Amino acid sequence: MAILKIARMGHPVLRCRAEPVADPRAPEIARLVEDMLETMEDAGGTGLAAPQVHVPLRLVVFFVSGRRAAAEAESGQEGSAVPLTVLINPEIEHLTPETALGPEACLSVPGLIGQVPRTTRIRYRGLSLEGKVLEREAEGFHARVVQHECDHLDGILYPQRMTDLSSLAFTSEIGRAPQDAPPMEEELAENHGE
């Protein structure tokens, strides 16, 4: 296993549509996934897409921690922990027209965080490393993470989804906000490195 270099905003690999994975069971895909998982853990992320490590393939890895799920439940939102998931050639179906703003950060856009509108309920499907179909419904942070990571497969970074760029901020400045500013500080810790 190896820690891979993460592509940063501006690199051409992050602007292109990724190619489908021909054989999810291929040994090189298993190695790529192992390296992506190690890279994601090292960087403190909650998700990572293959283009972020300079590999233009339709493959993402992600999870939702129990701590994040508990925080969602405390705030009255639906949320549950999601085990580490490998999703190959994913497709997303939006189950509602409803969207919600939420803070997002990205390992490819280091040091920044912004409020991004996302569909609140989705169904996604793709293949596992064993080539089996994986299909789930997701809402809340789970849905946000999947949409964020799958955007990378189409050459889209979260700032391109923002409707109000005035909410884009350096993470180092979040704690300095005036008392009447919208709360983002506690969300920052939970969304670091999507």
Side-chain angles (χ1 to χ4, degrees):
M1 293 189 353
I3 295 173
L4 305 173
K5 184 175 181 182
I6 296 174
R8 293 171 53 152
M9 184 168 56
H11 193 286
V13 74
L14 296 174
R15 295 185 190 143
C16 299
R17 183 172 170 81
E19 295 295 320
V21 173
D23 181 5
R25 294 168 296 186
E28 61 270 18
I29 296 301
R31 276 192 304 278
L32 172 60
V33 167
E34 286 180 13
D35 291 345
M36 287 175 64
L37 293 174
E38 186 170 350
T39 302
M40 181 176 71
E41 182 179 346
D42 180 69
T46 222
L48 191 66
Q52 290 182 273
V53 292
H54 304 270
V55 179
L57 290 176
R58 300 188 76 76
L59 186 158
V60 300
V61 297
F62 62 90
F63 71 98
V64 176
S65 71
R67 191 179 101 176
R68 174 64 202 208
E72 268 190 313
E74 286 176 16
S75 68
Q77 301 173 9
E78 288 292 322
S80 59
V82 178
L84 192 56
T85 300
V86 176
L87 194 59
I88 299 170
N89 299 333
E91 299 172 5
I92 294 177
E93 175 186 354
H94 299 271
L95 298 178
T96 179
E98 183 182 336
T99 62
L101 278 176
E104 293 187 23
C106 181
L107 297 174
S108 293
V109 188
L112 293 174
I113 188 168
Q115 293 288 325
V116 183
R118 296 281 184 189
T119 302
T120 57
R121 279 188 57 238
I122 63 169
R123 177 181 296 120
Y124 62 89
R125 68 186 62 80
L127 300 174
S128 69
L129 273 174
E130 296 78 30
K132 296 184 177 167
V133 174
L134 171 66
E135 184 171 334
R136 293 181 184 148
E137 288 191 16
E139 53 191 302
F141 186 70
H142 181 188
R144 180 171 296 280
V145 169
V146 173
Q147 291 172 85
H148 177 109
E149 296 309 330
C150 288
D151 267 356
H152 283 296
L153 307 181
D154 294 324
I156 299 169
L157 296 175
Y158 80 83
Q160 294 169 266
R161 295 277 187 205
M162 293 177 65
T163 54
D164 180 3
L165 288 176
S166 71
S167 72
L168 187 63
F170 286 102
T171 54
S172 59
E173 297 298 318
I174 298 301
R176 299 179 187 185
Q179 294 298 331
D180 60 346
M184 282 178 57
E185 188 172 43
E186 64 266 356
E187 294 284 349
L188 173 61
E190 295 297 331
N191 288 298
H192 176 70
E194 273 187 89

